[in-house]
Amino acid sequence: MSQSVKPFGAVTRRGTFKLAAALLSTTAFPGGLRVAMAQDGDQVLRIAHPVFDMDWSPLRGGGDYLRWNSLWWASAMYFDSDNNLHPYVFKSWESADNKVWTLVIADNAVFSDGSPITASDVKGSWELSAMPSTRNQRVDLALSSVAGYQEMIGGQAKEMPGLVVKDDKTLEVQLSDVDPVFFQRIATQVVPIIKASQARDENGEEVFEWWTPDNGVVVSGPFKPVEMDLDGGKLVFEPNENFFGPKPILKRIEVQTVEDPVTATALMQNGQFDAHTAFATPTMDQDLGRDFASGVMIPKGQHFWLNVNRAPTNDPKVRQALIMAIDREGLKASYPSGPMEKAEQILNAVPGVDPDFEPYPFDPEQAKKLLAESSYGGPERLPTIMMVGISTPASQLAAQYIAEQWRQNLGIAAVQMKPQIDAYTGPDQANVQIFRDDVGTRVPDAVVYLLGSIYSGSSNAKNKLGGYKNADVDAKLDEAAMKSVDDPARQKLAQEAQRAFREDWAFIPWYYEGMSKWAMPQVKNIVKNLDWQVYEPWRISVERG
């Protein structure tokens, strides 16, 4: 397989900030926070951030601040909101056998100090991301198939022999097994390109706070930090004059921590902020407008997963009865307004969504009959059904609706709901039958999506589905994973695996997620992709009326 394209040329520390509406007309607020009012045409983007993050290393692979990684760090490649792949640090990526990949760095790719981005920098960036002490939460999504990765993540090595520097601009990547979508896995801000010599010490470990302007951080993205007051929750970015991509439109980006969403809402309504890092309230679109909540669909779904090895959901007829007794049209009222859609199958927003997938029917009479035919004989002998992950207003409303449907249509009264249980352990674990949680993928591929959702080796199958294993599902996904991304059999096998999973009646589909802009109408071109990445931040502008 070959892919080759041309490159493009201050609040008290941890305090809760709450304001009376009468104070919002001023620029000075209790606790010391001052919001500078930008003038028309000054191209300043002001972002409200929800938590006091004291660690802004780009290598953590998670956290709210990850959503701004693309402001100052370049990735290998990037996806747009239509899942089209674009070159960035790499101008080409090729493999003849899907096991050895040749990656070539763009000729003009340089860091903010003007030094060239080299293959050694990429190798060092990825190796540092895989060091256990770096604590990158999602590095395995990008690099787990590289030869030597398991030894690195396990702490037995400080280099990956699968990363081979051929010359300054060429990196050869040797995988431990065939992976036709490896080139898509590395198109992520989870493992950005950094100046490795600045960030790694003589032992290969991460240098403390190398990413701060006080320590002279050298960046690869379109903006560079010029101020970081972490105790005050304020960061300021300005354009990187040596950025190798298009010249940014914004002249300045100001990030200020505002922990209380009610206060953040009021400040955005008042014009003090233009955007938010991660925002969701039940009245978000009513308070801030439909444009704020609009966005593209991403491959991520929220569902209720049935534990197939715990009574009473270990009985297939009970599972089928529980699902068929729910009028899922009524669930639409439970999830947040904005770019969300009713779910039917697992796959969404990736090539290979099954157009012929048969949704689970609503048939209360058949559900009643199945429950009577089950090993329990009816609702009276069922143990209490416990649902966990009921931790948000939306999930609470959905769980209450589901329980009421079971009461009305099946006569089931004993249902309990609990918030998230850490790692699904604790005294109640033995009683949990249903887990509310999301599944998704950062690679726009149906096979990868299902490998993380219903494959027996996935965390979802092991934990939320209670050790689910279907040999037919596994075999089809194993076979599909070896197919090239342009082979129609890859998607066909994924669809067949999903249909086989459907017949096990092991989940209640809820909704698909959209990627909200979380920006007011004056912010233009702040578009995210499936990686939660603002993928072309140089295009962002602010047009104040």
Side-chain angles (χ1 to χ4, degrees):
M1 166 172 203
S2 174
Q3 296 282 330
S4 182
V5 280
K6 294 180 179 179
F8 59 68
V11 186
T12 303
R13 179 74 183 94
R14 301 208 183 274
T16 300
F17 184 41
K18 296 183 178 180
L19 303 178
L23 294 174
L24 294 174
S25 61
T26 70
T27 58
F29 303 108
L33 173 61
R34 286 181 173 270
V35 180
M37 295 298 292
Q39 301 300 311
D40 290 347
D42 64 3
Q43 290 301 332
V44 177
L45 176 67
R46 300 157 306 176
I47 300 168
H49 191 66
V51 291
F52 278 96
D53 281 314
M54 299 302 287
D55 182 355
W56 282 73
S57 168
L59 304 179
R60 300 291 176 259
D64 289 306
Y65 59 89
L66 175 69
R67 296 166 191 184
W68 303 116
N69 250 18
S70 63
L71 296 180
W72 47 325
W73 300 106
S75 52
M77 297 89 81
Y78 67 89
F79 287 103
D80 62 25
S81 55
D82 295 319
N83 294 333
N84 298 311
L85 191 60
H86 296 259
Y88 201 172
V89 170
F90 290 120
K91 67 178 182 180
S92 67
W93 43 94
E94 298 178 342
S95 178
D97 59 1
N98 291 323
K99 190 171 182 180
V100 177
W101 290 83
T102 300
L103 313 176
V104 180
I105 296 172
D107 297 334
N108 62 341
V110 297
F111 289 108
S112 57
D113 64 354
S115 63
I117 297 176
T118 68
S120 294
D121 287 309
V122 178
K123 172 180 164 68
S125 299
W126 290 352
E127 288 175 340
L128 183 54
S129 293
M131 291 289 285
S133 57
T134 302
R135 307 186 311 281
N136 189 309
Q137 300 174 33
R138 294 180 176 88
V139 61
D140 61 305
L141 299 178
L143 304 176
S144 60
S145 59
V146 177
Y149 170 83
Q150 296 302 329
E151 289 76 11
M152 276 213 69
I153 202 70
Q156 290 88 46
K158 295 181 180 178
E159 289 187 280
M160 281 187 269
L163 300 177
V164 181
V165 174
K166 306 301 286 187
D167 57 48
D168 281 351
K169 290 294 184 180
T170 309
L171 182 70
E172 182 179 274
V173 182
Q174 302 166 0
L175 305 183
S176 54
D177 205 347
V178 170
D179 185 2
V181 297
F182 173 74
F183 70 101
Q184 295 182 337
R185 296 184 193 278
I186 58 174
T188 172
Q189 62 178 346
V190 167
V191 287
I193 309 306
I194 63 172
K195 194 172 182 67
S197 60
Q198 180 181 51
R200 297 190 85 179
D201 64 19
E202 62 275 8
N203 295 315
E205 304 285 352
E206 186 174 10
V207 174
F208 180 69
E209 292 191 348
W210 61 273
W211 36 267
T212 67
D214 287 347
N215 288 327
V217 63
V218 174
V219 304
S220 55
F223 297 91
K224 62 183 182 182
V226 296
E227 179 184 341
M228 282 191 181
D229 176 8
L230 300 181
D231 282 319
K234 182 177 181 180
L235 295 86
V236 177
F237 297 86
E238 293 180 354
N240 166 14
E241 60 274 14
N242 285 319
F243 180 54
F244 58 96
K247 182 179 180 180
I249 297 173
L250 292 174
K251 303 302 182 187
R252 184 176 172 92
I253 300 171
E254 299 173 352
V255 181
Q256 175 65 60
T257 298
V258 182
E259 289 186 304
D260 180 37
V262 175
T263 299
T265 297
L267 289 171
M268 284 187 284
Q269 288 173 324
N270 193 255
Q272 307 290 341
F273 284 101
D274 305 303
H276 199 281
T277 298
F279 196 82
T281 64
T283 58
M284 177 174 65
D285 59 336
Q286 292 95 326
D287 295 333
L288 300 173
R290 295 289 297 178
D291 188 67
F292 181 89
S294 67
V296 299
M297 297 305 299
I298 59 173
K300 184 178 181 182
Q302 293 280 353
H303 310 297
F304 291 81
W305 305 95
L306 280 58
N307 188 319
V308 299
N309 286 314
R310 186 154 292 143
T313 49
N314 59 345
D315 187 320
K317 289 191 174 181
V318 171
R319 297 198 300 271
Q320 190 171 354
L322 292 176
I323 294 170
M324 293 181 70
I326 302 167
D327 181 0
R328 291 186 296 107
E329 281 296 310
L331 277 174
K332 288 181 177 179
S334 67
Y335 47 80
S337 55
M340 310 296 179
E341 294 179 1
K342 179 189 175 189
E344 299 289 6
Q345 57 187 290
I346 296 172
L347 295 174
N348 76 299
V350 296
V353 173
D354 190 349
D356 300 318
F357 186 86
E358 183 181 353
Y360 286 136
F362 171 53
D363 190 338
E365 291 306 314
Q366 179 64 13
K368 213 176 282 184
K369 180 174 181 290
L370 286 164
L371 188 59
E373 293 173 354
S374 74
S375 57
Y376 294 89
E380 301 82 7
R381 295 176 56 196
L382 290 178
T384 298
I385 297 175
M386 182 180 291
M387 291 191 274
V388 299
I390 315 304
S391 54
T392 66
S395 60
Q396 290 167 8
L397 188 58
Q400 290 165 0
Y401 173 82
I402 289 169
E404 180 59 19
Q405 289 278 285
W406 289 341
R407 187 192 68 78
Q408 291 181 10
N409 297 324
L410 295 176
I412 296 173
V415 180
Q416 292 185 6
M417 304 163 199
K418 289 184 176 288
Q420 197 81 358
I421 298 176
D422 290 342
Y424 306 112
T425 61
D428 293 321
Q429 184 187 27
N431 302 319
V432 176
Q433 295 93 356
I434 300 177
F435 298 89
R436 192 283 314 156
D437 209 351
D438 64 271
V439 293
T441 177
R442 291 175 182 251
V443 175
D445 179 78
V447 178
V448 175
Y449 202 152
L450 296 181
L451 283 170
S453 307
I454 60 177
Y455 189 75
S456 63
S458 69
S459 174
N460 196 63
K462 290 177 180 177
N463 297 309
K464 286 151 247 174
L465 288 166
Y468 172 81
K469 183 177 177 62
N470 181 316
D472 188 32
V473 170
D474 283 1
K476 284 181 166 57
L477 291 178
D478 281 335
E479 183 181 354
M482 296 296 105
K483 304 289 186 184
S484 173
V485 291
D486 54 6
D487 186 338
R490 185 179 178 93
Q491 292 183 10
K492 183 174 183 293
L493 286 163
Q495 293 171 354
E496 290 174 357
Q498 183 179 233
R499 292 178 196 175
F501 173 77
R502 179 200 182 278
E503 299 311 306
D504 286 326
W505 297 81
F507 85 124
I508 301 168
W510 188 18
Y511 70 85
Y512 302 130
E513 289 198 17
M515 178 59 70
S516 295
K517 283 172 55 181
W518 290 321
M520 300 301 283
Q522 65 266 23
V523 183
K524 309 301 180 183
N525 299 318
I526 186 167
V527 188
K528 305 182 183 76
N529 60 18
L530 77 174
D531 202 30
W532 296 68
Q533 178 180 12
V534 180
Y535 58 82
E536 292 178 348
W538 49 85
R539 297 180 60 232
I540 300 174
S541 64
V542 181
E543 300 177 10
R544 307 187 194 282

